[in-house]
Amino acid sequence: MRVSSSQTTTMLLKSMQSQYSKYYDVSTELSTGSSINSPSDDAIGYARVSSLTSQQTSLNQYLDNIETASSQLDASETQMSSMTDVISSIRDLVVQAANDTYSSDDLSDIATEIQSLVDTLVDLCNATDSSGNYLFSGSLSSTAPISYDETTGTYTYVGNDYQREVVVGDGITVASTDTLSGVLASSSDGSDNIFNDLSDLITALQSGDNSTASSMLDTIDEYSSSLSTAIASIGARSNQLDTLSDAHTETLTYSTALSDSISSADYAEVTVESEEILTTLQVTQQVLASVMGLSLFDEI
């Protein structure tokens, strides 16, 4: 059977089209490093890799959230630990003030020391994070939690009891922030707090009256206990985040390795295949040029 030149040309053109399609596929493999770039490459493999990729995206987001939450909790724990130290120092001074052997001048000096520590305690309560947000104001992150009214000489907690919840796993959230509500401040209007209690004691000591010093020790111990509970809660959450971070990292490593094993291209094999396709294309073009008597396809 005689084959016409037009039929030959048509077959050669179809062959070139097929080779170009194959060359596109192997070029994509080389550029992406993946042998599965569309469902047509491997429907089952594509579905598995897509599922793993989605899992990896979620895990990376969880890890980012954990890092942010851990940083916030570390900052809060540092400030609260410092508060504990300051309150302990205040307690030592109140114990001294309760001693009836001290003179009025001595009591006044103790009052001055306590006031200095109260000022430090306020600064710690009004600490901010690296973004300038107040750590212990709840959702009112742009408002300093402890406010002092110079006219009345009173301190007020103006934050709220909101704690930000961060998603750190499938169906798992952790409070990444803490407040002073119920810790150093306990009344609904924020006026019942350790600062006003100490302010009243300071006023009494400045006048030489130490009669309330002993009872103040119990109040200080109550606040110290609440603060210790808050610090323990932060520690527990930090440990939880560390455990989740380790688990997510391990799962992410396995998931990435699995998706790579399914879809990673064999560079050596794909490179050889690419060169073979190019060689085939060159030969086909030369034959086509000879058949058509043209030199249009002498070069790729």
Side-chain angles (χ1 to χ4, degrees), residues 4-292:
S4 67
S5 60
S6 64
Q7 289 177 311
T8 302
T9 300
T10 299
M11 287 188 294
L12 290 171
L13 287 173
K14 287 184 177 179
S15 175
M16 286 181 60
Q17 185 179 20
S18 175
Q19 295 301 317
Y20 274 125
S21 178
K22 291 179 180 179
Y23 185 68
Y24 172 81
D25 290 340
V26 296
S27 296
T28 301
E29 282 191 49
L30 288 172
S31 62
T32 63
S34 174
S35 61
I36 305 176
N37 295 288
S38 67
S40 61
D41 294 330
D42 179 350
I44 296 177
Y46 185 83
R48 291 183 65 192
V49 171
S50 295
S51 177
L52 289 169
T53 299
S54 177
Q55 179 191 47
Q56 291 157 23
T57 299
S58 296
L59 288 171
N60 279 315
Q61 184 61 63
Y62 295 151
L63 288 170
D64 286 343
N65 291 349
I66 287 173
E67 182 177 359
T68 300
S70 294
S71 176
Q72 193 85 11
L73 291 176
D74 287 345
S76 296
E77 184 174 23
T78 297
Q79 297 301 323
M80 284 192 172
S81 294
S82 296
M83 292 179 203
T84 298
D85 293 338
V86 171
I87 292 177
S88 177
S89 296
I90 290 175
R91 191 185 192 286
D92 290 341
L93 289 172
V94 175
V95 169
Q96 293 180 35
N99 190 326
D100 291 332
T101 62
Y102 283 95
S103 66
S104 295
D105 288 341
D106 291 332
L107 293 176
S108 179
D109 290 340
I110 290 175
T112 299
E113 291 185 62
I114 293 175
Q115 182 61 62
S116 177
L117 289 172
V118 168
D119 292 339
T120 299
L121 188 60
V122 170
D123 288 340
L124 291 172
C125 292
N126 290 341
T128 59
D129 60 21
S130 58
S131 298
N133 297 314
Y134 288 98
L135 289 172
F136 306 113
S137 291
S139 61
L140 307 177
S141 58
S142 61
T143 302
I146 302 300
S147 173
Y148 178 68
D149 187 331
E150 294 185 1
T151 301
T152 61
T154 58
Y155 297 85
T156 305
Y157 175 65
V158 294
N160 56 36
D161 59 0
Y162 170 82
Q163 287 181 281
R164 181 188 174 204
E165 296 283 337
V166 178
V167 179
V168 292
D170 293 339
I172 303 174
T173 60
V174 170
S176 63
T177 59
D178 288 84
T179 76
L180 298 179
S181 178
V183 180
L184 299 183
S186 55
S187 65
S188 58
D189 63 359
S191 62
D192 185 4
N193 55 63
I194 190 173
F195 307 100
N196 288 330
D197 293 336
L198 289 172
S199 183
D200 290 342
L201 174 63
I202 289 169
T203 298
L205 293 177
Q206 287 173 337
S207 65
D209 179 10
N210 71 341
S211 60
T212 60
S214 294
S215 60
M216 186 62 198
L217 291 174
D218 292 334
T219 301
I220 291 175
D221 288 342
E222 289 177 4
Y223 283 116
S224 294
S225 178
S226 296
L227 191 54
S228 295
T229 299
I231 293 173
S233 173
I234 292 176
R237 279 174 280 154
S238 294
N239 290 336
Q240 181 183 7
L241 291 179
D242 289 341
T243 300
L244 285 170
S245 179
D246 291 341
H248 290 337
T249 299
E250 184 176 343
T251 302
L252 180 61
T253 299
Y254 174 77
S255 179
T256 302
L258 181 58
S259 60
D260 286 346
S261 69
I262 295 172
S263 65
S264 290
D266 185 330
Y267 280 100
E269 181 180 327
V270 176
T271 299
V272 171
E273 184 179 358
S274 174
E275 293 174 350
E276 289 176 348
I277 294 173
L278 282 175
T279 300
T280 301
L281 275 170
Q282 289 174 336
V283 172
T284 304
Q285 289 172 349
Q286 290 171 358
V287 172
L288 182 60
S290 176
V291 170
M292 298 181 65

